[in-house]
């Protein structure tokens, strides 16, 4: 698909600016959202479960990575919030808060410890129990099949995501999930953030399996930053399409569920008002979002990727293209931040190249690890408008959106409350302007091990005392606010000034 010209984008933004809420934002309630709109919170298996070496679970690549001391604070997810042992307490807490739904992931190395074939009965029992407990309390389970925690044995055996063998093993694993839990799970996500795992794992090497090449990463155990990110992403895309095909052919009619994929939704803005930076930001959105959205909607990678990456970008021949195109009932997005990008000169054609060089931007990736990033609710509006204008306005779930702060036993987190209010109001206005958003999940339900921050920063609505062997939970003020909103209360106190979200 050709790039969208600036004219219709500008018109759409002006139209959005002209839309006004029917009443003051303080009067907005959850009932102003469309009927059936789902509000929940989420976590993922490695980040929340703990019990890393219990009941037959074997290591994932994240266990290996953290045990080698590579997490940002040297910590591991060995215990984390210990949801494996405390899931009943957590579900009761979700019910008390009034969550519509809980988004969680299944640990591949807990359910199938060796990556294929033998199912672990204790892992099967745990997820059955968790799902049953959620349903008992009227909470929808929204399940992610793969959330970064590849079994280490598959990494060792054939290089994990770099091998097409991953597709077969992943599809067999997904089949076990559909067969075992699909009678109760009606919302499936195949893969979480396949547009960023290849960057951390295979471009800059900051995440497992720590593969990269100089000068784009350092201290890596082999790798090629100019090719491997594209190969890993390609296999994730094909694995996703394979699982969707399986679900639709074998399970969907009887189980009645929906299946999709969840992408990271950074929004890229030009660092200046130059045409070069504006073009660079558009390219970066094509590389970051279009990397998966374009093949899912149109059957091939974005033209700008084809032209700039060339032969290093894997082909999508007709059979694969047909299988990938339309392989979703919905698209999930995890949205947190804005990246300011600046055009750089790539005319020299110097090698080696990597993802960011191909996108032709100067990207402040180092800032991500220190939290020096920009957030603003209007970026969510722009993301949703981009999906509407470029990709046919697909059904969208906001699967992660949240606010980080430093660990504290103080339950007053007013900044988090205000952050969530601001984004929910923007989401409401986007829906009124035609966005096809179906639900919103706060990241995170509990404090967890954070992939980027370890335990240095917390996102939880509910705090967890990580220094207490009992992992005591406590409600933060944001959890009490969210609970009130879920019960039908107003979005924000009437005394708080209304903010404008359209620049």
């Amino acid at each position: 698909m050709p790039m969208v010209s600036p004219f219709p984008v500008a018109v759409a933004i002006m139209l959005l600016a002209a839309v006004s809420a029917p009443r003051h934002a303080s009067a907005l309630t959850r009932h102003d959202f469309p009927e059936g709109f789902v509000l929940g919170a989420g976590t993922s298996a490695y980040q929340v479960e703990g019990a890393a070496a219990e009941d037959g679970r074997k290591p994932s690549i994240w266990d290996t990575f953290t045990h080698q001391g590579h997490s940002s604070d040297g910590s591991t997810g060995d215990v984390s919030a210990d949801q494996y042992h405390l899931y009943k307490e957590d579900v009761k807490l979700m019910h008390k808060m009034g969550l519509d739904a809980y988004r969680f992931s299944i640990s591949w190395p807990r359910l199938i410890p060796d990556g294929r074939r033998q199912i672990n009965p204790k892992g099967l029992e745990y997820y059955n129990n968790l799902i049953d407990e959620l349903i008992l309390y009227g909470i929808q389970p929204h399940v992610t099949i793969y959330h970064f925690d590849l079994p280490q044995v598959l990494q060792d055996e054939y290089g994990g995501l770099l091998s097409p063998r991953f597709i077969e093993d992943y599809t067999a694993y997904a089949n076990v999930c559909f067969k075992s839990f699909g009678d109760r799970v009606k919302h499936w996500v195949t893969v979480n953030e396949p547009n960023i795992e290849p960057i951390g794992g295979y471009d800059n090497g900051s995440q497992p399996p720590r593969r990269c090449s100089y000068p784009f990463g350092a201290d890596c155990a082999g790798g090629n930053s100019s090719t491997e990110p594209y190969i890993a992403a390609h296999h994730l895309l094909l694995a996703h399409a394979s699982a969707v095909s399986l679900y639709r052919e074998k399970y969907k009619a009887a189980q009645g569920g929906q299946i999709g994929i969840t992408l990271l939704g950074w929004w890229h803005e030009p660092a200046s008002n130059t045409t070069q930076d504006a073009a660079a930001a558009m390219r970066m959105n094509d590389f970051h979002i279009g990397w998966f959205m374009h093949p899912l909607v149109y059957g091939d990678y974005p033209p700008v990727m084809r032209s700039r990456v060339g032969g290093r970008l894997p082909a999508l021949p007709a059979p694969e293209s047909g299988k990938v195109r339309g392989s979703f009932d919905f698209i999930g997005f995890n949205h947190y931040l804005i990246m300011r990008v600046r055009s750089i000169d790539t005319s020299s054609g110097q090698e080696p190249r990597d993802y960011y060089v191909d996108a032709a931007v100067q990207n402040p990736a180092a800032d991500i690890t220190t939290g020096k990033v920009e957030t603003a609710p209007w970026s969510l509006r722009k993301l949703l408008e981009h999906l509407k204008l470029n990709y046919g306005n697909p059904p969208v779930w906001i699967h992660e959106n949240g606010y980080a702060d430093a660990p504290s036993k103080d339950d007053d987190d007013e900044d988090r409350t205000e952050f969530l209010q601001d984004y929910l109001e923007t989401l409401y206005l986007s829906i009124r302007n035609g966005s096809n958003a179906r639900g919103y999940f706060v990241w995170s339900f509990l404090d967890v091990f954070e992939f980027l921050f370890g335990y240095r920063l917390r996102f939880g609505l509910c705090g967890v005392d990580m220094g207490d062997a009992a992992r005591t939970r406590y409600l933060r003020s944001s959890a009490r606010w969210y609970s009130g909103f879920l019960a039908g209360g107003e979005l924000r106190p009437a005394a708080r000034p209304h903010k404008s979200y359209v620049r």
Side-chain angles (χ1 to χ4, degrees), residues 4 52 95 141 151 156-157 168 176 222 227-228 275 300 327 391 460 496:
V4 176
H95 177 67
D156 294 339
E157 182 179 344
E168 180 181 355
V176 171
T227 59
E228 290 188 358
T275 56
D300 198 5
S327 61
Y391 300 111
R496 179 172 296 156

Side-chain angles (χ1 to χ4, degrees), residues 344-360:
I344 58 175
D345 180 16
T346 60
S347 60
S348 63
Q350 292 179 345
E351 296 291 343
R353 298 166 67 93
D354 82 335
Y355 177 90
Y356 290 119
V357 175
D358 289 328

Side-chain angles (χ1 to χ4, degrees), residues 194-195 233 236-237 261 263 288-297:
N195 57 335
L236 285 168
L237 176 65
I261 191 169
L263 306 178
H288 178 65
I289 297 169
W291 197 3
F292 280 78
M293 285 304 304
H294 208 91
L296 289 171
V297 174

